[in-house]
Amino acid sequence: MMIVVFALVALAVLALLVLVHRWLWIRLVRDTTAPGGLPRRIGTSLAIALPLLSVAALTTGRAGVPFWLQQAVAWPGFLWLAVLLYLTLTMLVAEPIRALLLRRLAHRAPSEAVPAASGAPANAPANAPANAPAVAPAEAPAAAPADVPAEPADRGPSRRTIARAVGGAAAAVALGTVANGAHGVLRGPTVKRVKVPLAKLPRAAHGFRIAVVSDVHLGPVLGRAHTLRIVDAVNRTQPDVIAIVGDLVDGNVHDLGPAAEPLRGLRARHGSYFVTGNHEYFSGAAQWVDHVRELGLTPLENARRVLPYFDLAGVNDIAGESEGQGPDFQAALGDRDRSRPAVLLAHQPVVIHDAVRHGVDLQLSGHTHGGQLWPGNYLAELANPTVAGLERYGDTQLYVSRGAGAWGPPVRVGAPSDITVVELASYQA
């Protein structure tokens, strides 16, 4: 049954994408170019090739094709998805403007038409007798058929000119938005600092810093250079603990091991820790758990570590349930001393209610990307209790990072990437 539902949803999404691409082709190619011309042929070819590249970018990774081919299709394919989103939004906004301009053009056109003369020929002498025979000129040009009006003088914009102006403006806005969003991702995440008071935290732990890194999404687009930027940014904050809360990779160790290698350089006084996200299970979670351990990180697979001032626990992502490796809160938190504060690393914010039941003081999560591409934040709100930032649920606080990378298009709009330094505060300080 679930397979049938998935197939129907996939077909509906595919049909919608086909309709959107056809509408954009009509507005941006057919309405702006002459039939048979080179610009129309180029525009039509792009309207076919770009969505095919997007499908390839989404599917080649899981199909196991060579990594170089994944990289070749990922950049144009994923970037087109971002351009498609904002091109569609801007064209929808521009559609009423286009209709208004075309209406004004239609109202002005009749007043510019030149009425055809009736009666005597235009070259007949004004004083010729009424019964005098008309003398045709020696070489009179053939008269135009009565049903073909003479072409009016060009006194204003044509339909094609209006289509070009509206389409060009919409394309400029969409491309500018995507370019700015891509620049924000590729220059690396910014560092945010958030102070979180914990009731049980002893005075000696006041100011304890946890660097939270989530949703790096190393893959065919973001690679080793992006990892280096993140490692440098984290180390500059001089954290006491580093917490990587899932979705580190989109691919296997063979392809992405070199991209993850700079993680060896992470430095924190009390160590670096890792929990799985849903994308690790798409990529092969077991191989990545082993590999991050080789890189010097400590995986917390439904496990806990006793740090000097609090307990640090981590649970597997809920995507692991399909492999019998889902979150086990009892294993991670069941037998601990509840007089000590507990900080939980869990990729998805939706497990916050389990954290509340197990007496967690602070949960650190990612997964949402803050929506990544506006207006995606509104969709993220439907599936997550918190999309970004710090919120309280009973006696438990939840902090959700927007992530240090990007999934799919290397673009963020309205949700800049970040590394968060959570500074714990004691009420006794």
Side-chain angles (χ1 to χ4, degrees), residues 317-344:
D317 186 70
I318 56 179
E321 292 175 346
S322 62
E323 302 178 13
Q325 299 176 359
D328 187 338
F329 288 87
Q330 185 62 29
L333 297 160
D335 58 349
R336 72 180 192 86
D337 179 1
R338 290 207 175 196
S339 67
R340 289 168 53 87
V343 176
L344 175 68

Side-chain angles (χ1 to χ4, degrees), residues 210-213 241-246 272-276 298-303 310-317 327 329 332-333 342-348 351 355 360 362-366:
I210 304 174
V212 182
V213 182
V241 162
I242 297 170
I244 299 179
V245 291
S272 302
Y273 297 86
F274 169 82
V275 293
T276 55
T298 300
L300 293 176
E301 298 181 274
N302 298 322
F310 60 89
D311 294 341
L312 182 67
V315 292
N316 296 344
D317 186 70
F329 288 87
L333 297 160
V343 176
L344 175 68
L345 310 183
H347 178 63
Q348 297 197 39
V351 301
V360 170
L362 173 64
Q363 176 179 317
L364 302 174
S365 298

